[in-house]
Structures are given as C-alpha cells and as structure tokens.
Amino acid sequence: MLFRSVKSTRETVGISISKRKGSNAVKVTSETIAKIEELHPVLLPEDVDITITRDYGETADNKVTDLLSSLALAISGVVLLVALSMGWKEAAVIALAVPVSFSLALMVNFLAGYTINRVTLFALILSLGLVVDDPITNVDNIQRHIRKGKRNPLQATLDAVSEVLPPVLMSTLAIMVSFLPMFFITGMMGPYMEPMAINVPLTVTFSTLCALTIVPWAAHH
C-alpha cells in the first residue's frame, strides 16, 4: 500500500509478510530480515530506508521463553515440595515422570501435525499439577509398604501399586472426561481450546502409564 506521512512529505510503502500454517514464526522472521538486509543495497537506492514496524516473531519468541521459564519454575517447585515432604529419592522418582509424560505427549502432537506454540505450552503448564498426582500417589504408597517391612521390597511395591490402581485409573478417566468436551468448542475460541483438550488428557494418560511402569521400577530400586 502507498500512503503519505502526516509529519513527512516522503512516500512510504508498507509490506506485510505472513507465515504459512505450521511454520516457525521466529525462523520466518529472522530469515526474512536477513534477506531484506541482503537485497537492500542491491535493489533499493541509498536514500530509501527500511524500518520494521512490527515483529510478531520476536513477540512470539519472548512469550514462548516466558512460558518455558514458568514451566521450569513450576517443575522445580513441585520437586522441591515433594523433596521436603517425602525425601529427595522420592522426589527424583516423581520428577522422572514429568519429562517422560511431556515428551510422549509432544511426540503425539508431532505425529498428529500439531505445532508447539504458546497455547500448547500453556496446556503443559496447566497439566503439570495433574501429571504428578498419580506418581505421587504410587510413590507414597510404595514407601509406606516398604517401610512396614512385612514383605520384600519387590512384593511390597507390587502390593502398593495394586492397592491404589482403581483410584489412579478413575482419576485419569475423570480428567479426560472433563477436558475432552473442549475439543468441540467452535468459533474464535476453538483454536485456543483444542490444544488443551488434546494435551491435558494426553499428558495425564502418559503420566498414569509412568505411574504404573517407570515409577514403581524406580521406587523399588
């Protein structure tokens, strides 16, 4: 578009560049700016200036960095709280379930064609408190059974997991039923609700799998 500035008699041209769906806004922005700087001295006269008035790539990068910092802070807070209340070994076992659950959920996102964006990261932060529930329940019960000393550690671990299996499974199903309806929200809020409707049940499901496999194995050892 061509317009004349109020404070200046120089004519200006505004060019808007948008990314394709699924591409990285930060990468598109940086490559575009690099290309502009490369072509500026070749194609444009010396008295023509280029000014970037709005950079959504930089904004997105800053917000993603803030969300990642919040996620790391939340994980550290949960692990520290468990370490103070149950012990550092138990906290290490529970902390193991968080990256495993998140990694598996992100892998499913990748296979399904979803990108990692601000809404996806917010969904992971939202699900963090739910992700550690099942591992905490199992580790606490395993610790209780082992400290009784009535059975060897392996049998005590198996008994402890079996004892809390029904409520662990029911809590996972209840969370899935609560969040899945958000998947069917339409209109403007649809794209924002869909990642949460998918990622929260996914991470909680993988957390339950961890609570029944990796967590008992690590707690036993």
Side-chain angles (χ1 to χ4, degrees):
M1 57 184 174
L2 188 66
F3 58 92
R4 188 177 298 276
S5 173
V6 177
K7 296 182 180 180
S8 174
T9 58
R10 299 181 64 183
E11 292 183 340
T12 59
V13 176
I15 300 176
S16 176
I17 300 174
S18 60
K19 72 179 187 70
R20 291 180 177 177
K21 183 179 180 180
S23 57
N24 189 326
V26 179
K27 185 178 180 181
V28 170
T29 301
S30 61
E31 290 181 353
T32 301
I33 293 174
K35 195 66 177 178
I36 290 173
E37 293 175 350
E38 177 187 343
L39 296 177
H40 184 193
V42 179
L43 300 179
L44 299 177
E46 294 182 359
D47 59 342
V48 175
D49 297 326
I50 295 178
T51 303
I52 299 173
T53 58
R54 187 174 299 171
D55 187 349
Y56 282 119
E58 183 181 4
T59 304
D61 190 38
N62 292 335
K63 290 185 177 181
V64 167
T65 302
D66 291 340
L67 285 171
L68 288 174
S69 301
S70 300
L71 182 60
L73 183 63
I75 293 173
S76 302
V78 169
V79 173
L80 179 61
L81 180 63
V82 174
L84 293 175
S85 58
M86 297 177 63
W88 68 269
K89 291 183 180 180
E90 290 78 5
V93 172
I94 293 168
L96 181 64
V98 176
V100 172
S101 303
F102 283 177
S103 299
L104 291 172
L106 290 174
M107 182 186 71
V108 174
N109 275 263
F110 175 75
L111 295 176
Y114 290 99
T115 58
I116 300 176
N117 50 45
R118 285 170 282 179
V119 183
T120 306
L121 291 174
F122 175 74
L124 294 180
I125 295 175
L126 176 66
S127 64
L128 178 62
L130 305 172
V131 164
V132 296
D133 280 351
D134 292 344
I136 288 176
T137 301
N138 275 3
V139 169
D140 181 51
N141 207 41
I142 290 170
Q143 181 190 61
R144 183 176 66 86
H145 274 262
I146 290 178
R147 285 182 175 177
K148 282 183 178 180
K150 294 182 179 180
R151 295 177 177 84
N152 62 71
L154 177 59
Q155 189 59 47
T157 300
L158 295 174
D159 291 345
V161 174
S162 300
E163 188 175 61
V164 296
L165 182 59
V168 164
L169 293 178
M170 287 303 298
S171 67
T172 302
L173 292 174
I175 293 169
M176 292 176 65
V177 170
S178 300
F179 278 89
L180 283 178
M182 298 172 67
F183 186 79
F184 301 99
I185 295 177
T186 58
M188 186 183 298
M189 291 303 295
Y192 294 95
M193 297 295 105
E194 186 176 325
M196 285 187 279
I198 294 173
N199 283 286
V200 173
L202 265 180
T203 51
V204 172
T205 300
F206 287 127
S207 170
T208 302
L209 292 176
C210 288
L212 300 177
T213 54
I214 298 174
V215 168
W217 172 82
H220 166 251
H221 286 286

